[in-house]
Amino acid sequence: GGFSGAKVELVTTPGSNIGSRNFSISETMNAAARSPGSATTASGGASGYLVLDRVLFSSSAELSRTSSPFATFDARDAGGAGRIVIARNTQAALADGLSRFGISGLGRSEHATTDGLATLNRVDFVSDSNHSIAVIGRLAMDATSPYGSSPASIGRLFGDQSSTDVSLSLQRTAISRHFAQETSLSFSSRTIQLTPSLAVPMLQISVPGDLNGINTAQNVLTGSLGSGASASRNVNVNGQHIVRWVSPDGHHRSDAGLSFRVSRDARDPRGNELGFLSFDSIDEFAAGMASGYSRVVNPARSSANVVTASGFVGDQWVVCPHFSVQGGARLDLNQLPIAGQHADDATQTRLAAT
């Protein structure tokens, strides 16, 4: 096996300062036994002036889909080469036991598919050569179904995972004869959501198998079925303003600035709500006699807030071309959660001066 693929690309008005557009589609297939799969990508972009010499834009987007099979337990399946192989009668017993949980499809090659969307957009406003404002936005989304990480797992049991990244920033620059000002403000958010397909305990079953010609007991983990839906979100807001001054004679270069950052991290893990069942053999599993059970209770929700702010001033005095003196001061304020305590109720404030 090997790789194969195709790509189509279209570009219009290249190299023009008025505007340009491009579009491409590519598809790649990997037929190798150990990592078969395919990937398809479509992307495009455009840029140019909305108002000549005043408002410039650029935009790009990409759509993607990747597909890869989960490992099978069948030696006759090329996708199982170099992976765990379980005897047919053991597969049948395992499938029969799983059917009591409403789980079917053991031994079939299930494909995990990930769909993605990513966009990046920017608009620049230029009033003159000394003043400009830029607005930049980014969006990235992807969804995987079914989601899983273990090649020895039955893929359809993992459920779906999705993530979303959003960011927006504003940048301003102003330059005068002796002053330069830079201002920036940004917002970003990342969200991850995992939704299981079935509400049953997590299962681990030890069965005899063959791994690259070696007989060995393999733990077949059928998926994070009992973990429940989980979600996490991180939000950040950042701001900064800096003023730079150069004296008319060029002997002093001074800076002053303020910055802040607010961050919130929230998690809802749910934990192992239905517990974890382990079976030492396929016979125990078929008889419904677990060798062990455990359950770890995690906090339903947790969150943490971090706030930081700082200010500084500095000056560089150029005494002569080969000698200069620098000095400055900085003040930092940090509000942080206290480790081991509920973050919403317990915070500590730190003040530092340099």
Side-chain angles (χ1 to χ4, degrees), residues 267-307:
R267 300 179 184 273
D268 186 8
R270 302 290 178 91
N272 188 6
E273 290 182 325
L274 300 181
F276 185 97
L277 289 171
S278 58
F279 300 86
D280 288 338
S281 68
I282 193 66
D283 294 331
E284 285 187 1
F285 179 64
M289 299 176 60
S291 59
Y293 175 81
S294 63
R295 181 172 180 262
V296 178
V297 179
N298 293 327
R301 293 182 180 180
S302 62
S303 62
N305 299 318
V306 176
V307 179

PDB file of all heavy atoms in Angstrom, residues 267-307:
ATOM      1  N   ARG A 267     -14.506  23.831  34.226  1.00  0.00           N
ATOM      2  CA  ARG A 267     -14.536  22.424  33.840  1.00  0.00           C
ATOM      3  C   ARG A 267     -15.732  21.727  34.482  1.00  0.00           C
ATOM      4  O   ARG A 267     -16.073  21.997  35.622  1.00  0.00           O
ATOM      5  CB  ARG A 267     -13.238  21.711  34.246  1.00  0.00           C
ATOM      6  CG  ARG A 267     -12.006  22.312  33.610  1.00  0.00           C
ATOM      7  CD  ARG A 267     -10.733  21.607  34.049  1.00  0.00           C
ATOM      8  NE  ARG A 267      -9.569  22.261  33.489  1.00  0.00           N
ATOM      9  CZ  ARG A 267      -9.065  21.992  32.292  1.00  0.00           C
ATOM     10  NH1 ARG A 267      -9.643  21.058  31.548  1.00  0.00           N
ATOM     11  NH2 ARG A 267      -8.006  22.622  31.842  1.00  0.00           N
ATOM     12  N   ASP A 268     -16.324  20.832  33.708  1.00  0.00           N
ATOM     13  CA  ASP A 268     -17.437  20.017  34.191  1.00  0.00           C
ATOM     14  C   ASP A 268     -17.142  18.573  33.799  1.00  0.00           C
ATOM     15  O   ASP A 268     -17.676  18.057  32.817  1.00  0.00           O
ATOM     16  CB  ASP A 268     -18.743  20.496  33.569  1.00  0.00           C
ATOM     17  CG  ASP A 268     -19.950  19.770  34.145  1.00  0.00           C
ATOM     18  OD1 ASP A 268     -19.771  19.014  35.114  1.00  0.00           O
ATOM     19  OD2 ASP A 268     -21.057  19.953  33.613  1.00  0.00           O
ATOM     20  N   PRO A 269     -16.264  17.875  34.554  1.00  0.00           N
ATOM     21  CA  PRO A 269     -15.796  16.558  34.123  1.00  0.00           C
ATOM     22  C   PRO A 269     -16.790  15.426  34.353  1.00  0.00           C
ATOM     23  O   PRO A 269     -16.693  14.377  33.713  1.00  0.00           O
ATOM     24  CB  PRO A 269     -14.533  16.355  34.963  1.00  0.00           C
ATOM     25  CG  PRO A 269     -14.807  17.131  36.211  1.00  0.00           C
ATOM     26  CD  PRO A 269     -15.614  18.319  35.785  1.00  0.00           C
ATOM     27  N   ARG A 270     -17.704  15.614  35.281  1.00  0.00           N
ATOM     28  CA  ARG A 270     -18.687  14.586  35.653  1.00  0.00           C
ATOM     29  C   ARG A 270     -18.027  13.354  36.273  1.00  0.00           C
ATOM     30  O   ARG A 270     -18.599  12.697  37.110  1.00  0.00           O
ATOM     31  CB  ARG A 270     -19.534  14.157  34.450  1.00  0.00           C
ATOM     32  CG  ARG A 270     -20.271  15.288  33.807  1.00  0.00           C
ATOM     33  CD  ARG A 270     -21.385  15.809  34.698  1.00  0.00           C
ATOM     34  NE  ARG A 270     -22.053  16.930  34.078  1.00  0.00           N
ATOM     35  CZ  ARG A 270     -23.116  16.798  33.295  1.00  0.00           C
ATOM     36  NH1 ARG A 270     -23.596  15.594  33.018  1.00  0.00           N
ATOM     37  NH2 ARG A 270     -23.675  17.862  32.776  1.00  0.00           N
ATOM     38  N   GLY A 271     -16.856  12.997  35.809  1.00  0.00           N
ATOM     39  CA  GLY A 271     -16.151  11.862  36.386  1.00  0.00           C
ATOM     40  C   GLY A 271     -16.719  10.524  35.973  1.00  0.00           C
ATOM     41  O   GLY A 271     -17.544  10.398  35.069  1.00  0.00           O
ATOM     42  N   ASN A 272     -16.289   9.502  36.660  1.00  0.00           N
ATOM     43  CA  ASN A 272     -16.693   8.126  36.372  1.00  0.00           C
ATOM     44  C   ASN A 272     -18.014   7.845  37.081  1.00  0.00           C
ATOM     45  O   ASN A 272     -18.068   7.171  38.103  1.00  0.00           O
ATOM     46  CB  ASN A 272     -15.580   7.186  36.854  1.00  0.00           C
ATOM     47  CG  ASN A 272     -15.813   5.760  36.426  1.00  0.00           C
ATOM     48  OD1 ASN A 272     -16.735   5.470  35.678  1.00  0.00           O
ATOM     49  ND2 ASN A 272     -14.980   4.866  36.910  1.00  0.00           N
ATOM     50  N   GLU A 273     -19.100   8.371  36.528  1.00  0.00           N
ATOM     51  CA  GLU A 273     -20.366   8.370  37.237  1.00  0.00           C
ATOM     52  C   GLU A 273     -20.905   6.976  37.519  1.00  0.00           C
ATOM     53  O   GLU A 273     -21.504   6.727  38.561  1.00  0.00           O
ATOM     54  CB  GLU A 273     -21.395   9.169  36.434  1.00  0.00           C
ATOM     55  CG  GLU A 273     -21.117  10.661  36.420  1.00  0.00           C
ATOM     56  CD  GLU A 273     -22.175  11.429  35.653  1.00  0.00           C
ATOM     57  OE1 GLU A 273     -22.684  10.899  34.647  1.00  0.00           O
ATOM     58  OE2 GLU A 273     -22.488  12.548  36.063  1.00  0.00           O
ATOM     59  N   LEU A 274     -20.741   6.041  36.581  1.00  0.00           N
ATOM     60  CA  LEU A 274     -21.303   4.702  36.738  1.00  0.00           C
ATOM     61  C   LEU A 274     -20.264   3.668  37.149  1.00  0.00           C
ATOM     62  O   LEU A 274     -20.561   2.477  37.211  1.00  0.00           O
ATOM     63  CB  LEU A 274     -21.995   4.265  35.440  1.00  0.00           C
ATOM     64  CG  LEU A 274     -23.149   5.159  34.989  1.00  0.00           C
ATOM     65  CD1 LEU A 274     -23.767   4.627  33.709  1.00  0.00           C
ATOM     66  CD2 LEU A 274     -24.210   5.257  36.081  1.00  0.00           C
ATOM     67  N   GLY A 275     -19.048   4.098  37.407  1.00  0.00           N
ATOM     68  CA  GLY A 275     -18.048   3.169  37.894  1.00  0.00           C
ATOM     69  C   GLY A 275     -17.286   2.443  36.800  1.00  0.00           C
ATOM     70  O   GLY A 275     -17.488   2.658  35.602  1.00  0.00           O
ATOM     71  N   PHE A 276     -16.391   1.556  37.253  1.00  0.00           N
ATOM     72  CA  PHE A 276     -15.472   0.835  36.374  1.00  0.00           C
ATOM     73  C   PHE A 276     -15.541  -0.646  36.730  1.00  0.00           C
ATOM     74  O   PHE A 276     -15.258  -1.039  37.862  1.00  0.00           O
ATOM     75  CB  PHE A 276     -14.059   1.379  36.577  1.00  0.00           C
ATOM     76  CG  PHE A 276     -13.022   0.808  35.657  1.00  0.00           C
ATOM     77  CD1 PHE A 276     -12.656   1.472  34.505  1.00  0.00           C
ATOM     78  CD2 PHE A 276     -12.404  -0.397  35.954  1.00  0.00           C
ATOM     79  CE1 PHE A 276     -11.694   0.956  33.665  1.00  0.00           C
ATOM     80  CE2 PHE A 276     -11.445  -0.926  35.120  1.00  0.00           C
ATOM     81  CZ  PHE A 276     -11.089  -0.250  33.967  1.00  0.00           C
ATOM     82  N   LEU A 277     -15.925  -1.477  35.778  1.00  0.00           N
ATOM     83  CA  LEU A 277     -16.007  -2.926  35.974  1.00  0.00           C
ATOM     84  C   LEU A 277     -14.841  -3.597  35.265  1.00  0.00           C
ATOM     85  O   LEU A 277     -14.537  -3.279  34.109  1.00  0.00           O
ATOM     86  CB  LEU A 277     -17.320  -3.473  35.408  1.00  0.00           C
ATOM     87  CG  LEU A 277     -18.610  -3.139  36.161  1.00  0.00           C
ATOM     88  CD1 LEU A 277     -19.824  -3.571  35.340  1.00  0.00           C
ATOM     89  CD2 LEU A 277     -18.625  -3.817  37.528  1.00  0.00           C
ATOM     90  N   SER A 278     -14.190  -4.528  35.944  1.00  0.00           N
ATOM     91  CA  SER A 278     -13.089  -5.282  35.332  1.00  0.00           C
ATOM     92  C   SER A 278     -13.393  -6.772  35.419  1.00  0.00           C
ATOM     93  O   SER A 278     -13.946  -7.265  36.410  1.00  0.00           O
ATOM     94  CB  SER A 278     -11.760  -4.964  36.018  1.00  0.00           C
ATOM     95  OG  SER A 278     -11.821  -5.261  37.402  1.00  0.00           O
ATOM     96  N   PHE A 279     -13.030  -7.494  34.350  1.00  0.00           N
ATOM     97  CA  PHE A 279     -13.237  -8.930  34.251  1.00  0.00           C
ATOM     98  C   PHE A 279     -11.912  -9.584  33.889  1.00  0.00           C
ATOM     99  O   PHE A 279     -11.235  -9.148  32.945  1.00  0.00           O
ATOM    100  CB  PHE A 279     -14.288  -9.262  33.176  1.00  0.00           C
ATOM    101  CG  PHE A 279     -15.640  -8.652  33.439  1.00  0.00           C
ATOM    102  CD1 PHE A 279     -15.922  -7.362  33.025  1.00  0.00           C
ATOM    103  CD2 PHE A 279     -16.622  -9.368  34.102  1.00  0.00           C
ATOM    104  CE1 PHE A 279     -17.170  -6.788  33.257  1.00  0.00           C
ATOM    105  CE2 PHE A 279     -17.872  -8.803  34.348  1.00  0.00           C
ATOM    106  CZ  PHE A 279     -18.134  -7.517  33.920  1.00  0.00           C
ATOM    107  N   ASP A 280     -11.533 -10.638  34.621  1.00  0.00           N
ATOM    108  CA  ASP A 280     -10.261 -11.316  34.388  1.00  0.00           C
ATOM    109  C   ASP A 280     -10.311 -12.290  33.222  1.00  0.00           C
ATOM    110  O   ASP A 280      -9.267 -12.767  32.773  1.00  0.00           O
ATOM    111  CB  ASP A 280      -9.812 -12.068  35.646  1.00  0.00           C
ATOM    112  CG  ASP A 280      -9.355 -11.109  36.735  1.00  0.00           C
ATOM    113  OD1 ASP A 280      -8.990  -9.957  36.396  1.00  0.00           O
ATOM    114  OD2 ASP A 280      -9.371 -11.496  37.916  1.00  0.00           O
ATOM    115  N   SER A 281     -11.490 -12.633  32.745  1.00  0.00           N
ATOM    116  CA  SER A 281     -11.592 -13.569  31.624  1.00  0.00           C
ATOM    117  C   SER A 281     -12.892 -13.324  30.884  1.00  0.00           C
ATOM    118  O   SER A 281     -13.833 -12.695  31.420  1.00  0.00           O
ATOM    119  CB  SER A 281     -11.544 -15.018  32.111  1.00  0.00           C
ATOM    120  OG  SER A 281     -12.711 -15.334  32.844  1.00  0.00           O
ATOM    121  N   ILE A 282     -12.963 -13.872  29.673  1.00  0.00           N
ATOM    122  CA  ILE A 282     -14.170 -13.736  28.884  1.00  0.00           C
ATOM    123  C   ILE A 282     -15.315 -14.533  29.500  1.00  0.00           C
ATOM    124  O   ILE A 282     -16.489 -14.162  29.377  1.00  0.00           O
ATOM    125  CB  ILE A 282     -13.900 -14.178  27.430  1.00  0.00           C
ATOM    126  CG1 ILE A 282     -15.043 -13.738  26.508  1.00  0.00           C
ATOM    127  CG2 ILE A 282     -13.677 -15.671  27.345  1.00  0.00           C
ATOM    128  CD1 ILE A 282     -15.160 -12.271  26.357  1.00  0.00           C
ATOM    129  N   ASP A 283     -14.978 -15.633  30.208  1.00  0.00           N
ATOM    130  CA  ASP A 283     -16.014 -16.428  30.862  1.00  0.00           C
ATOM    131  C   ASP A 283     -16.678 -15.644  31.989  1.00  0.00           C
ATOM    132  O   ASP A 283     -17.897 -15.710  32.178  1.00  0.00           O
ATOM    133  CB  ASP A 283     -15.427 -17.739  31.394  1.00  0.00           C
ATOM    134  CG  ASP A 283     -14.950 -18.649  30.276  1.00  0.00           C
ATOM    135  OD1 ASP A 283     -15.535 -18.570  29.174  1.00  0.00           O
ATOM    136  OD2 ASP A 283     -13.990 -19.422  30.502  1.00  0.00           O
ATOM    137  N   GLU A 284     -15.860 -14.906  32.761  1.00  0.00           N
ATOM    138  CA  GLU A 284     -16.426 -14.077  33.815  1.00  0.00           C
ATOM    139  C   GLU A 284     -17.360 -13.022  33.228  1.00  0.00           C
ATOM    140  O   GLU A 284     -18.434 -12.731  33.774  1.00  0.00           O
ATOM    141  CB  GLU A 284     -15.311 -13.393  34.612  1.00  0.00           C
ATOM    142  CG  GLU A 284     -14.565 -14.308  35.566  1.00  0.00           C
ATOM    143  CD  GLU A 284     -13.600 -13.522  36.425  1.00  0.00           C
ATOM    144  OE1 GLU A 284     -13.548 -12.278  36.280  1.00  0.00           O
ATOM    145  OE2 GLU A 284     -12.893 -14.137  37.252  1.00  0.00           O
ATOM    146  N   PHE A 285     -16.932 -12.452  32.111  1.00  0.00           N
ATOM    147  CA  PHE A 285     -17.762 -11.426  31.487  1.00  0.00           C
ATOM    148  C   PHE A 285     -19.069 -12.012  30.971  1.00  0.00           C
ATOM    149  O   PHE A 285     -20.141 -11.419  31.135  1.00  0.00           O
ATOM    150  CB  PHE A 285     -16.987 -10.761  30.348  1.00  0.00           C
ATOM    151  CG  PHE A 285     -17.767  -9.701  29.619  1.00  0.00           C
ATOM    152  CD1 PHE A 285     -18.169  -8.545  30.271  1.00  0.00           C
ATOM    153  CD2 PHE A 285     -18.102  -9.857  28.286  1.00  0.00           C
ATOM    154  CE1 PHE A 285     -18.891  -7.573  29.606  1.00  0.00           C
ATOM    155  CE2 PHE A 285     -18.822  -8.888  27.622  1.00  0.00           C
ATOM    156  CZ  PHE A 285     -19.214  -7.743  28.279  1.00  0.00           C
ATOM    157  N   ALA A 286     -18.977 -13.201  30.346  1.00  0.00           N
ATOM    158  CA  ALA A 286     -20.185 -13.844  29.829  1.00  0.00           C
ATOM    159  C   ALA A 286     -21.157 -14.196  30.949  1.00  0.00           C
ATOM    160  O   ALA A 286     -22.381 -14.144  30.768  1.00  0.00           O
ATOM    161  CB  ALA A 286     -19.808 -15.093  29.039  1.00  0.00           C
ATOM    162  N   ALA A 287     -20.599 -14.543  32.134  1.00  0.00           N
ATOM    163  CA  ALA A 287     -21.451 -14.894  33.267  1.00  0.00           C
ATOM    164  C   ALA A 287     -21.894 -13.671  34.055  1.00  0.00           C
ATOM    165  O   ALA A 287     -22.687 -13.791  34.992  1.00  0.00           O
ATOM    166  CB  ALA A 287     -20.715 -15.865  34.187  1.00  0.00           C
ATOM    167  N   GLY A 288     -21.380 -12.513  33.698  1.00  0.00           N
ATOM    168  CA  GLY A 288     -21.749 -11.296  34.411  1.00  0.00           C
ATOM    169  C   GLY A 288     -21.152 -11.213  35.794  1.00  0.00           C
ATOM    170  O   GLY A 288     -21.729 -10.557  36.677  1.00  0.00           O
ATOM    171  N   MET A 289     -19.992 -11.854  36.021  1.00  0.00           N
ATOM    172  CA  MET A 289     -19.339 -11.849  37.331  1.00  0.00           C
ATOM    173  C   MET A 289     -18.050 -11.039  37.245  1.00  0.00           C
ATOM    174  O   MET A 289     -17.024 -11.527  36.774  1.00  0.00           O
ATOM    175  CB  MET A 289     -19.038 -13.281  37.776  1.00  0.00           C
ATOM    176  CG  MET A 289     -20.294 -14.148  37.910  1.00  0.00           C
ATOM    177  SD  MET A 289     -19.889 -15.857  38.330  1.00  0.00           S
ATOM    178  CE  MET A 289     -19.028 -15.626  39.884  1.00  0.00           C
ATOM    179  N   ALA A 290     -18.107  -9.795  37.685  1.00  0.00           N
ATOM    180  CA  ALA A 290     -16.940  -8.921  37.619  1.00  0.00           C
ATOM    181  C   ALA A 290     -15.952  -9.263  38.722  1.00  0.00           C
ATOM    182  O   ALA A 290     -16.338  -9.628  39.836  1.00  0.00           O
ATOM    183  CB  ALA A 290     -17.365  -7.463  37.733  1.00  0.00           C
ATOM    184  N   SER A 291     -14.667  -9.152  38.402  1.00  0.00           N
ATOM    185  CA  SER A 291     -13.626  -9.393  39.396  1.00  0.00           C
ATOM    186  C   SER A 291     -13.319  -8.139  40.211  1.00  0.00           C
ATOM    187  O   SER A 291     -12.657  -8.220  41.247  1.00  0.00           O
ATOM    188  CB  SER A 291     -12.355  -9.882  38.708  1.00  0.00           C
ATOM    189  OG  SER A 291     -11.901  -8.922  37.769  1.00  0.00           O
ATOM    190  N   GLY A 292     -13.777  -7.019  39.750  1.00  0.00           N
ATOM    191  CA  GLY A 292     -13.524  -5.789  40.498  1.00  0.00           C
ATOM    192  C   GLY A 292     -14.429  -4.668  40.058  1.00  0.00           C
ATOM    193  O   GLY A 292     -14.936  -4.650  38.925  1.00  0.00           O
ATOM    194  N   TYR A 293     -14.678  -3.739  40.983  1.00  0.00           N
ATOM    195  CA  TYR A 293     -15.489  -2.564  40.677  1.00  0.00           C
ATOM    196  C   TYR A 293     -14.910  -1.383  41.442  1.00  0.00           C
ATOM    197  O   TYR A 293     -14.544  -1.494  42.611  1.00  0.00           O
ATOM    198  CB  TYR A 293     -16.951  -2.784  41.077  1.00  0.00           C
ATOM    199  CG  TYR A 293     -17.803  -1.540  40.891  1.00  0.00           C
ATOM    200  CD1 TYR A 293     -18.296  -1.198  39.645  1.00  0.00           C
ATOM    201  CD2 TYR A 293     -18.095  -0.712  41.982  1.00  0.00           C
ATOM    202  CE1 TYR A 293     -19.069  -0.060  39.464  1.00  0.00           C
ATOM    203  CE2 TYR A 293     -18.874   0.430  41.817  1.00  0.00           C
ATOM    204  CZ  TYR A 293     -19.360   0.750  40.554  1.00  0.00           C
ATOM    205  OH  TYR A 293     -20.115   1.878  40.381  1.00  0.00           O
ATOM    206  N   SER A 294     -14.831  -0.264  40.779  1.00  0.00           N
ATOM    207  CA  SER A 294     -14.347   0.949  41.436  1.00  0.00           C
ATOM    208  C   SER A 294     -15.093   2.151  40.882  1.00  0.00           C
ATOM    209  O   SER A 294     -15.600   2.130  39.757  1.00  0.00           O
ATOM    210  CB  SER A 294     -12.831   1.120  41.214  1.00  0.00           C
ATOM    211  OG  SER A 294     -12.542   1.283  39.834  1.00  0.00           O
ATOM    212  N   ARG A 295     -15.120   3.183  41.700  1.00  0.00           N
ATOM    213  CA  ARG A 295     -15.787   4.419  41.279  1.00  0.00           C
ATOM    214  C   ARG A 295     -15.133   5.581  41.988  1.00  0.00           C
ATOM    215  O   ARG A 295     -15.029   5.592  43.219  1.00  0.00           O
ATOM    216  CB  ARG A 295     -17.274   4.380  41.597  1.00  0.00           C
ATOM    217  CG  ARG A 295     -18.043   5.623  41.161  1.00  0.00           C
ATOM    218  CD  ARG A 295     -19.540   5.413  41.328  1.00  0.00           C
ATOM    219  NE  ARG A 295     -20.288   6.582  40.916  1.00  0.00           N
ATOM    220  CZ  ARG A 295     -20.748   7.523  41.743  1.00  0.00           C
ATOM    221  NH1 ARG A 295     -20.513   7.391  43.044  1.00  0.00           N
ATOM    222  NH2 ARG A 295     -21.428   8.546  41.289  1.00  0.00           N
ATOM    223  N   VAL A 296     -14.665   6.513  41.207  1.00  0.00           N
ATOM    224  CA  VAL A 296     -14.032   7.703  41.753  1.00  0.00           C
ATOM    225  C   VAL A 296     -14.977   8.876  41.532  1.00  0.00           C
ATOM    226  O   VAL A 296     -15.382   9.149  40.393  1.00  0.00           O
ATOM    227  CB  VAL A 296     -12.672   7.981  41.080  1.00  0.00           C
ATOM    228  CG1 VAL A 296     -12.056   9.257  41.634  1.00  0.00           C
ATOM    229  CG2 VAL A 296     -11.730   6.800  41.291  1.00  0.00           C
ATOM    230  N   VAL A 297     -15.325   9.546  42.605  1.00  0.00           N
ATOM    231  CA  VAL A 297     -16.246  10.673  42.506  1.00  0.00           C
ATOM    232  C   VAL A 297     -15.438  11.955  42.341  1.00  0.00           C
ATOM    233  O   VAL A 297     -14.665  12.328  43.223  1.00  0.00           O
ATOM    234  CB  VAL A 297     -17.136  10.762  43.758  1.00  0.00           C
ATOM    235  CG1 VAL A 297     -18.085  11.956  43.650  1.00  0.00           C
ATOM    236  CG2 VAL A 297     -17.922   9.465  43.940  1.00  0.00           C
ATOM    237  N   ASN A 298     -15.614  12.592  41.201  1.00  0.00           N
ATOM    238  CA  ASN A 298     -14.939  13.853  40.935  1.00  0.00           C
ATOM    239  C   ASN A 298     -15.902  15.010  41.194  1.00  0.00           C
ATOM    240  O   ASN A 298     -17.121  14.839  41.141  1.00  0.00           O
ATOM    241  CB  ASN A 298     -14.464  13.912  39.481  1.00  0.00           C
ATOM    242  CG  ASN A 298     -13.365  12.915  39.203  1.00  0.00           C
ATOM    243  OD1 ASN A 298     -12.558  12.637  40.074  1.00  0.00           O
ATOM    244  ND2 ASN A 298     -13.338  12.375  37.999  1.00  0.00           N
ATOM    245  N   PRO A 299     -15.379  16.173  41.498  1.00  0.00           N
ATOM    246  CA  PRO A 299     -16.277  17.328  41.673  1.00  0.00           C
ATOM    247  C   PRO A 299     -17.047  17.595  40.391  1.00  0.00           C
ATOM    248  O   PRO A 299     -16.509  17.498  39.284  1.00  0.00           O
ATOM    249  CB  PRO A 299     -15.313  18.474  42.006  1.00  0.00           C
ATOM    250  CG  PRO A 299     -13.979  18.014  41.499  1.00  0.00           C
ATOM    251  CD  PRO A 299     -13.961  16.535  41.650  1.00  0.00           C
ATOM    252  N   ALA A 300     -18.339  17.876  40.555  1.00  0.00           N
ATOM    253  CA  ALA A 300     -19.172  18.075  39.372  1.00  0.00           C
ATOM    254  C   ALA A 300     -18.668  19.237  38.522  1.00  0.00           C
ATOM    255  O   ALA A 300     -18.601  19.156  37.306  1.00  0.00           O
ATOM    256  CB  ALA A 300     -20.616  18.324  39.787  1.00  0.00           C
ATOM    257  N   ARG A 301     -18.293  20.327  39.160  1.00  0.00           N
ATOM    258  CA  ARG A 301     -17.826  21.496  38.422  1.00  0.00           C
ATOM    259  C   ARG A 301     -16.693  22.169  39.181  1.00  0.00           C
ATOM    260  O   ARG A 301     -16.653  22.145  40.409  1.00  0.00           O
ATOM    261  CB  ARG A 301     -18.966  22.496  38.209  1.00  0.00           C
ATOM    262  CG  ARG A 301     -20.070  21.990  37.293  1.00  0.00           C
ATOM    263  CD  ARG A 301     -21.128  23.057  37.097  1.00  0.00           C
ATOM    264  NE  ARG A 301     -22.186  22.596  36.227  1.00  0.00           N
ATOM    265  CZ  ARG A 301     -23.243  23.329  35.878  1.00  0.00           C
ATOM    266  NH1 ARG A 301     -23.357  24.564  36.348  1.00  0.00           N
ATOM    267  NH2 ARG A 301     -24.162  22.827  35.086  1.00  0.00           N
ATOM    268  N   SER A 302     -15.806  22.754  38.455  1.00  0.00           N
ATOM    269  CA  SER A 302     -14.729  23.524  39.071  1.00  0.00           C
ATOM    270  C   SER A 302     -14.404  24.686  38.146  1.00  0.00           C
ATOM    271  O   SER A 302     -14.601  24.616  36.939  1.00  0.00           O
ATOM    272  CB  SER A 302     -13.481  22.659  39.299  1.00  0.00           C
ATOM    273  OG  SER A 302     -12.968  22.184  38.068  1.00  0.00           O
ATOM    274  N   SER A 303     -13.929  25.755  38.741  1.00  0.00           N
ATOM    275  CA  SER A 303     -13.574  26.927  37.953  1.00  0.00           C
ATOM    276  C   SER A 303     -12.457  27.681  38.651  1.00  0.00           C
ATOM    277  O   SER A 303     -12.248  27.554  39.862  1.00  0.00           O
ATOM    278  CB  SER A 303     -14.784  27.842  37.740  1.00  0.00           C
ATOM    279  OG  SER A 303     -15.258  28.309  38.980  1.00  0.00           O
ATOM    280  N   ALA A 304     -11.740  28.447  37.889  1.00  0.00           N
ATOM    281  CA  ALA A 304     -10.637  29.245  38.422  1.00  0.00           C
ATOM    282  C   ALA A 304     -10.557  30.549  37.656  1.00  0.00           C
ATOM    283  O   ALA A 304     -10.671  30.565  36.420  1.00  0.00           O
ATOM    284  CB  ALA A 304      -9.319  28.482  38.322  1.00  0.00           C
ATOM    285  N   ASN A 305     -10.386  31.633  38.385  1.00  0.00           N
ATOM    286  CA  ASN A 305     -10.256  32.958  37.789  1.00  0.00           C
ATOM    287  C   ASN A 305      -8.865  33.513  38.103  1.00  0.00           C
ATOM    288  O   ASN A 305      -8.391  33.420  39.238  1.00  0.00           O
ATOM    289  CB  ASN A 305     -11.322  33.920  38.331  1.00  0.00           C
ATOM    290  CG  ASN A 305     -12.727  33.437  38.021  1.00  0.00           C
ATOM    291  OD1 ASN A 305     -12.990  32.968  36.919  1.00  0.00           O
ATOM    292  ND2 ASN A 305     -13.619  33.543  38.990  1.00  0.00           N
ATOM    293  N   VAL A 306      -8.254  34.094  37.112  1.00  0.00           N
ATOM    294  CA  VAL A 306      -6.942  34.724  37.284  1.00  0.00           C
ATOM    295  C   VAL A 306      -7.018  36.136  36.712  1.00  0.00           C
ATOM    296  O   VAL A 306      -7.440  36.321  35.559  1.00  0.00           O
ATOM    297  CB  VAL A 306      -5.830  33.920  36.581  1.00  0.00           C
ATOM    298  CG1 VAL A 306      -4.495  34.661  36.696  1.00  0.00           C
ATOM    299  CG2 VAL A 306      -5.716  32.533  37.174  1.00  0.00           C
ATOM    300  N   VAL A 307      -6.628  37.106  37.518  1.00  0.00           N
ATOM    301  CA  VAL A 307      -6.615  38.496  37.079  1.00  0.00           C
ATOM    302  C   VAL A 307      -5.220  39.058  37.315  1.00  0.00           C
ATOM    303  O   VAL A 307      -4.680  38.950  38.432  1.00  0.00           O
ATOM    304  CB  VAL A 307      -7.655  39.342  37.846  1.00  0.00           C
ATOM    305  CG1 VAL A 307      -7.605  40.797  37.385  1.00  0.00           C
ATOM    306  CG2 VAL A 307      -9.054  38.767  37.651  1.00  0.00           C
TER     307      VAL A 307
END
